[in-house]
Amino acid sequence: MTFTWTSVVNAPVTEVFDWHAQPGAIARLMPPWQPVRIVEEASTLYDGRAVLSLPGGLRWIAEHDTAGYERPNQFVDRLATPFASTVLRWQHRHEFTSLGSDRTRVTDTVETHVPGIALREMFTYRHNQLADDLAARQRALHWPHEALTIAITGASGLIGSAVAALLTTTGHRVIRLVRGGPGSADERRWDPDDPDAGLLDGVDVVIHLAGASIAGRFTDDHKAAIRGTRIAPTRRLAACAGAAKDGPTAFICASAIGYYGADRGDEELTEGSERGEGFLADVVSDWELASEPAADAGLRCVRIRTGIVQSPRGGTLRLLYPLFAAGLGGRVGSGAQWQSWIGIDDLADIYLRSAFDPSMSGPINAVAPGPVRNTEYTEILARVLHRPALLPVPALGPRLLLGREGSEELALADQRVRPGVLERAGHHFRHPDLPAALRHVLGRERARPAP
């Protein structure tokens, strides 16, 4: 059968075609609800090869067809694994038609055995994501800069992979700071305990995301790992950035809304609000202070206080998605606690802006403008998935899993946080309301009308 999906984006045809040729494009277009991992990106749209890892150890190998390459109007890839002809046929033609100086029709045509109904969610996501990423790229042009070299720690994590791919498709070079041996020219070995003096030479911006996951039972060992992977490594990296030859002018460090404490009730919290109490408030406060060596050296420092990230690839939603999809979801505890959330792509946009906008400095609340109570969150998630939300989880449940301290700091945290700095800057949010954000990352979004 032949499946076709078409949309119109606000960008010149050459820009749209070249966006697909950038490193990270396949990562930006990969639906987050699909259990697929990128093993290898195609080095070129002319004759490159992309390799994806599927469940069960299967590999999806897509080879680009030189005969179908016509820049800037089309490229073609086809499935090249051994079962391609007998089990699954797949030939994908990507077409781009100019509709004037700043509009392009994007058409995906797939020859396959897969029923079209199984492809609509994926291609709706891909086209909407492309339109949003191209718009983000256009907004970035308001902050004058040339192509930059950006070093990232934690680049393979949930947030780091989204940020790195957005930066490379925007035309910048990303150097991944890795703890093992470098595997390419775009990797450098980073020892958190003793970073090499030349680690950040020639780097324009540092984005520091590495740190042990906060999720888990708050045992002494887990709490020590949370602190130990954040405070001292951040201080050493900040000092390294400040001392680098021809080094960074900006140091952007991950942080968290845990700074405000776990129980703030209905108080609206902005970047100027006082810090709260508790383990995470102490950790985040010390974490932010650890970047001071970079500020003392004259670098612009940004601390991204991140809310509850919405993506089925990680974080809270990764745990909730299968439960709610099975109709087994419901509010947690009383359900009255405020949840300050952020879509994964909006978070990546905030890092993009922080890297280039000279007005961004100090703490920035990376949350959507509309925090919701837990009861509302669970009702919206259930509605997006067309499931009931009838099975409330008593407070005892998280306490059994996380311990008393962990449940109060994580599952039952009550924080009504607003993105004050971003709102004053007129920042554009892709998904400012929760239903739209969840529909996008869970494949329940509708195709958008042509602009």
Side-chain angles (χ1 to χ4, degrees), residues 72-426:
N73 298 117
Q74 75 171 29
F75 65 94
V76 175
D77 62 76
R78 57 169 50 91
L79 186 62
T81 49
F83 54 83
S85 59
T86 57
V87 178
L88 178 61
R89 180 170 179 253
W90 185 276
Q91 178 175 290
H92 185 179
R93 184 177 303 275
H94 312 248
E95 295 178 277
F96 312 97
T97 304
S98 176
L99 300 179
S101 61
D102 59 357
R103 296 175 81 236
T104 299
R105 178 183 294 115
V106 180
T107 304
D108 286 284
T109 303
V110 183
E111 301 291 340
T112 183
H113 297 135
V114 179
I117 193 170
L119 299 176
R120 288 173 189 165
E121 290 180 350
M122 178 175 72
F123 279 94
T124 298
Y125 175 87
R126 288 172 62 104
H127 281 233
N128 291 346
Q129 186 80 331
L130 172 64
D132 288 343
D133 273 20
L134 289 170
R137 180 172 176 165
Q138 285 297 317
R139 288 192 296 273
L141 297 177
H142 293 295
W143 310 305
H145 60 266
E146 299 177 351
L148 300 181
T149 297
I150 302 168
I152 302 182
T153 70
S156 62
L158 173 67
I159 298 171
S161 57
V163 171
L166 183 63
L167 287 168
T168 53
T169 52
T170 309
H172 304 282
R173 182 190 179 195
V174 167
I175 294 178
R176 292 164 172 80
L177 303 183
V178 298
R179 299 185 187 187
S184 71
D186 289 329
E187 291 185 351
R188 295 182 186 177
R189 184 179 181 277
W190 166 53
D191 181 352
D193 297 323
D194 186 20
D196 185 270
L199 177 69
L200 301 175
D201 289 353
V203 168
D204 299 300
V205 177
V206 176
I207 296 178
H208 180 39
L209 299 168
S213 173
I214 291 174
R217 194 175 186 87
F218 275 24
T219 63
D220 290 343
D221 286 346
H222 183 50
K223 291 163 69 172
I226 291 172
R227 285 193 64 90
T229 56
R230 283 171 173 77
I231 314 305
T234 298
R235 186 178 299 110
R236 296 185 190 105
L237 189 65
C240 183
K245 298 177 182 178
D246 187 27
T249 59
F251 187 89
I252 303 166
C253 185
S255 183
I257 60 172
Y259 175 89
Y260 302 109
D263 186 13
R264 300 297 290 264
D266 290 340
E267 179 184 0
E268 283 202 338
L269 303 167
T270 65
E271 290 83 354
S273 299
E274 292 183 0
R275 57 156 288 185
E277 298 179 352
F279 170 71
L280 289 182
D282 292 342
V283 168
V284 175
S285 179
D286 291 344
W287 192 8
E288 293 188 357
L289 286 173
S291 63
E292 284 300 309
D296 292 342
L299 278 66
R300 177 172 60 89
C301 286
V302 187
R303 289 97 173 184
I304 309 293
R305 293 177 180 168
T306 307
I308 304 171
V309 181
Q310 301 301 299
S311 171
R313 286 181 178 156
T316 303
L317 187 56
R318 183 178 184 179
L319 300 175
L320 295 179
Y321 178 37
L323 290 174
F324 276 75
L328 301 176
R331 61 173 170 78
V332 178
S334 71
Q337 64 271 27
W338 286 98
Q339 294 188 230
S340 299
W341 59 275
I342 184 73
I344 183 65
D345 296 309
D346 272 314
L347 180 56
D349 281 352
I350 292 168
Y351 274 97
L352 176 70
R353 178 168 193 162
S354 298
F356 305 121
D357 184 351
S359 72
M360 296 289 106
S361 64
I364 294 177
N365 288 339
V367 294
V372 296
R373 295 188 187 274
N374 176 259
T375 298
E376 185 180 359
Y377 179 92
T378 54
E379 289 174 350
I380 291 171
L381 177 56
R383 189 163 64 246
V384 167
L385 295 173
H386 303 291
R387 297 290 189 274
L390 303 176
L391 296 175
V393 178
L396 177 62
R399 289 191 183 116
L400 290 174
L401 291 174
L402 303 172
R404 184 187 61 80
E405 186 178 21
S407 66
E408 291 175 356
E409 295 258 15
L410 298 174
L412 302 175
D414 190 6
Q415 301 155 323
R416 189 182 184 184
V417 184
R418 295 200 62 86
V421 169
L422 295 172
E423 287 182 317
R424 289 192 296 272

Side-chain angles (χ1 to χ4, degrees), residues 33 121 124 321 325 383-387 435 438-446:
W33 65 87
E121 290 180 350
T124 298
Y321 178 37
R383 189 163 64 246
V384 167
L385 295 173
H386 303 291
R387 297 290 189 274
L438 291 177
R439 284 195 296 267
H440 180 64
V441 297
L442 297 177
R444 301 302 197 272
E445 195 173 19
R446 296 179 179 178

